[in-house]
Amino acid sequence: MSLEKLIHDCKKNDIKAQEQLYRQFAPKMFSVCLKYSRNYAEAQDNLQDGFLLVFEKINSFEFKGSFDGWIKRVMVNQALQQYRNKSFLSPIDEDIAEEVEIEIEDGVSMDFLMKIIQELPDRYRLVFNLSVFENYSHQEISDSLGISVGTSKSNLSRAKLILKEKIENNTGSVKMPSIK
């Protein structure tokens, strides 16, 4: 069945089509949810809640742009929703450190990188992921999380410093630059 037909059937609340759409996109969307979650269990909850939202909002998908991009945005927004209006996202001292850049050496595994990203404090992890993986500007991050642009910049810088230290401790060295 084509993706377009599958989406049309999901818009008609066809349970079999919804199941097929879930099976087709769940693995990829789970990796998206993992980036924004503290752990595996939270990622599973975000995936489940995200798909409920996808099926609730699927009528708003108008076949303009890719469905992959649309569903990913729904998942990211669902994961971020649990953090909005939480005290840890309140403004902090906005002394913006110099831009930290990280180059990941070949010996660093993807599992290790995901682990250390998940270990970041929530405010740093969210800003880091939105900036690095979603290519959001600081203004877009500010709008998404309800924080100032300066807080976004400061949180990104601090996240990179923490990651840099953890990578250095794991490998013994870090080359500069790459993750901007």
Side-chain angles (χ1 to χ4, degrees), residues 2-141:
S2 75
L3 180 59
E4 188 172 336
K5 168 100 171 89
L6 190 59
I7 293 168
H8 281 298
D9 289 351
C10 285
K11 287 182 176 192
K12 296 175 187 172
N13 293 318
D14 180 319
I15 292 175
K16 289 190 187 279
Q18 290 174 339
E19 180 182 353
Q20 187 174 345
L21 188 83
Y22 178 87
R23 290 184 190 279
Q24 184 172 338
F25 285 91
K28 188 182 211 180
M29 294 303 109
F30 184 71
S31 65
V32 170
C33 291
L34 261 175
K35 289 182 214 168
Y36 292 91
S37 303
R38 289 181 206 107
N39 55 48
Y40 192 87
E42 186 176 278
Q44 288 177 315
D45 290 344
N46 286 335
L47 180 71
Q48 182 71 23
D49 293 343
F51 268 102
L52 291 174
L53 191 59
V54 163
F55 296 133
E56 179 183 317
K57 304 275 186 192
I58 199 157
N59 285 322
S60 70
F61 180 70
E62 299 175 346
F63 299 92
K64 295 177 183 170
S66 76
F67 185 73
D68 283 34
W70 181 85
I71 194 171
K72 182 178 179 184
R73 178 154 308 259
V74 170
M75 291 292 171
V76 168
N77 285 334
Q78 174 60 36
L80 294 178
Q81 186 59 42
Q82 68 180 317
Y83 299 109
R84 288 187 178 105
N85 302 320
K86 302 275 179 149
S87 61
F88 70 83
L89 288 176
S90 60
I92 59 170
D93 180 19
E94 295 183 9
D95 62 318
I96 300 168
E98 64 184 72
E99 183 67 21
V100 177
E101 297 180 2
I102 305 168
E103 182 174 302
I104 310 302
E105 296 208 7
D106 290 338
V108 179
S109 75
M110 189 54 100
D111 287 340
F112 175 73
L113 290 175
M114 285 302 294
K115 179 181 179 291
I116 64 173
I117 290 169
Q118 286 178 324
E119 290 172 353
L120 287 170
D122 293 334
R123 64 181 173 265
Y124 300 159
R125 185 183 68 251
L126 296 174
V127 171
F128 178 83
N129 285 333
L130 289 170
S131 176
V132 173
F133 296 120
E134 309 304 331
N135 294 315
Y136 276 35
S137 70
H138 285 292
Q139 184 62 55
E140 290 170 317
I141 294 169

